[in-house]
Amino acid sequence: MKWFLIFWAGPIVFLAGWYWLSYYDMSFGIFMLTRQAHDLTFQVYANVLGIPPEVIPPLVARAIAVDSLVVLAIMAFRKRRKIFAWWQARQASKSSDAALASDESLSRAP
């Protein structure tokens, strides 16, 4: 599961880092991190897909969000027994807290 998360998060972190650095033109002397390369990349994708370049970043963000939900669902499915045990323990502690707060256990001090 650790490698699954690494191979899932690695490209997302790489893409987000490239997008942020190239969007703000923090190139450090590397052409791929310039704003010109950023605009060129999205123009190429826009020509291939037949859509305006400014539509692509929200589409990518939405795809990352959906992928993240799928990965979290897979993780939750694998840990479902622990999650269920935690939920039952939480519900049991709530019901015992309610039993302790009865009228008989409250202080009668003025």
Side-chain angles (χ1 to χ4, degrees):
M1 186 53 94
K2 176 177 70 170
W3 286 106
F4 177 71
L5 290 175
I6 288 170
F7 284 124
W8 165 72
I12 292 173
V13 169
F14 180 75
L15 177 66
W18 170 81
Y19 182 81
W20 188 78
L21 288 172
S22 64
Y23 185 80
Y24 291 108
D25 201 16
M26 301 174 125
S27 64
F28 305 109
I30 301 170
F31 172 73
M32 199 56 202
L33 297 178
T34 63
R35 182 62 189 217
Q36 181 184 5
H38 177 92
D39 293 338
L40 179 64
T41 301
F42 284 104
Q43 187 62 45
V44 167
Y45 278 117
N47 289 341
V48 169
L49 297 173
I51 59 176
E54 59 273 1
V55 175
I56 296 172
L59 291 175
V60 172
R62 198 173 314 149
I64 289 172
V66 170
D67 289 349
S68 299
L69 288 175
V70 169
V71 167
L72 292 175
I74 290 169
M75 290 176 55
F77 182 74
R78 288 180 53 95
K79 303 279 184 179
R80 66 186 179 275
R81 289 185 186 96
K82 287 183 181 179
I83 293 171
F84 187 67
W86 168 80
W87 183 257
Q88 284 184 330
R90 185 169 184 236
Q91 295 302 318
S93 69
K94 279 186 178 181
S95 65
S96 66
D97 289 344
L100 292 176
S102 66
D103 289 336
E104 297 167 4
S105 67
L106 297 178
S107 173
R108 299 285 183 213

